[in-house]
């Protein structure tokens, strides 16, 4: 009897391992984030969506990478600031002020590089590239968030109530 249970357990484990190994979608989700792959996919998406020729991509992408590299310093710092102790008002104020400063720095970098982009691409393609980048990030986020993790609208809110938590009530404006 004991031997039958042991054999049955081994067979069940072997079957589970087999199913797991044959499920590429689940295995794909387990893979760690690969920054190089992400950047390559982003650049390919932008090139395609903006309709860049090989010559245009060769001129544009090095500038784009340079801009992203400069912005990344600020993005990394902002990510660290988000973990500020929420119980320490002084640290929270400092974090908010630093995040605001970083936002302005990022926008300044964007503005400078947009001017550089306009020297190597027509404005229509620069705008398409900017929109493509936004779409790529949105699509990537939506693919990584599990359907059950997305917040559902509050069924208790009445129609016409504030839709965004950052909006002020009408009486306080």
């Amino acid at each position: 009897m004991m031997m039958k249970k042991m054999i049955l357990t081994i067979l069940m484990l072997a079957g589970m391992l087999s199913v797991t190994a044959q499920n590429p979608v689940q295995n794909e989700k387990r893979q760690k984030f690969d920054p190089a792959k992400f950047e390559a996919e982003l650049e390919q998406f932008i090139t395609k969506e903006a309709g860049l020729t090989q010559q245009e991509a060769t001129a544009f992408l090095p500038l784009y990478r340079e801009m992203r590299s400069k912005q990344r310093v600020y993005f990394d710092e902002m990510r660290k600031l988000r973990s500020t102790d929420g119980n320490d008002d002084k640290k929270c104020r400092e974090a908010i002020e630093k995040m605001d400063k970083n936002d302005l720095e990022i926008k300044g970098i964007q503005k400078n590089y947009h001017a550089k982009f306009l020297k190597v691409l027509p404005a229509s393609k620069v705008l398409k590239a900017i929109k493509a980048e936004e779409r790529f990030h949105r699509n990537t986020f939506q693919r990584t968030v599990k359907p059950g993790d997305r917040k559902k609208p509050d069924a208790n809110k009445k129609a016409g109530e504030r839709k965004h938590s950052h909006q002020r009530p009408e009486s306080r404006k």
Side-chain angles (χ1 to χ4, degrees):
M1 185 70 169
M2 182 71 147
M3 187 65 135
K4 283 184 180 181
K5 285 184 182 181
M6 199 157 115
I7 290 173
L8 185 60
T9 303
I10 291 171
L11 288 174
M12 286 177 54
L13 285 173
M16 290 168 60
L17 288 174
S18 173
V19 170
T20 302
Q22 292 175 5
N23 190 345
V25 174
Q26 197 171 25
N27 289 340
E28 186 178 300
K29 289 181 182 179
R30 288 186 192 153
Q31 291 178 352
K32 290 190 178 189
F33 177 72
D34 181 355
K37 181 181 176 190
F38 178 83
E39 290 297 324
E41 289 174 355
L42 171 62
E43 290 179 8
Q44 182 181 13
F45 187 83
I46 290 172
T47 300
K48 180 181 174 228
E49 294 293 310
L52 302 181
T53 65
Q54 184 62 44
Q55 187 178 7
E56 289 171 329
T58 301
F60 170 75
L61 290 174
L63 290 172
Y64 178 76
R65 287 183 204 115
E66 195 175 291
M67 177 187 76
R68 299 255 312 155
S69 175
K70 289 182 179 182
Q71 290 175 324
R72 192 169 294 115
V73 173
Y74 296 101
F75 288 133
D76 290 345
E77 186 176 351
M78 289 175 73
R79 188 172 33 255
K80 291 175 187 171
L81 290 169
R82 285 189 184 96
S83 65
T84 300
D85 178 10
N87 296 319
D88 187 333
D89 243 16
K90 183 181 177 190
K91 286 184 180 177
C92 288
R93 177 179 297 279
E94 290 170 359
I96 291 167
E97 290 170 357
K98 185 66 176 168
M99 289 168 74
D100 288 345
K101 183 180 174 203
N102 287 349
D103 277 336
L104 293 174
E105 291 291 333
I106 290 167
K107 281 297 179 191
I109 292 168
Q110 262 183 345
K111 183 178 178 184
N112 290 335
Y113 276 88
H114 288 172
K116 291 179 183 185
F117 296 163
L118 290 167
K119 290 179 182 175
V120 298
L121 292 178
S124 60
K125 289 195 175 185
V126 171
L127 185 59
K128 286 178 183 178
I130 292 167
K131 288 180 176 182
E133 179 187 19
E134 292 170 358
R135 207 168 34 255
F136 179 84
H137 288 295
R138 187 172 44 254
N139 292 346
T140 301
F141 177 75
Q142 287 174 346
R143 277 194 320 256
T144 58
V145 174
K146 296 175 190 168
D149 289 349
R150 293 190 183 133
K151 290 187 177 181
K152 295 179 181 165
D154 188 352
N156 295 326
K157 282 192 175 181
K158 295 176 186 171
E161 283 188 8
R162 293 185 316 165
K163 293 180 181 171
H164 301 287
S165 61
H166 64 277
Q167 291 178 334
R168 290 184 175 177
E170 293 299 319
S171 63
R172 291 178 47 195
K173 283 187 177 176

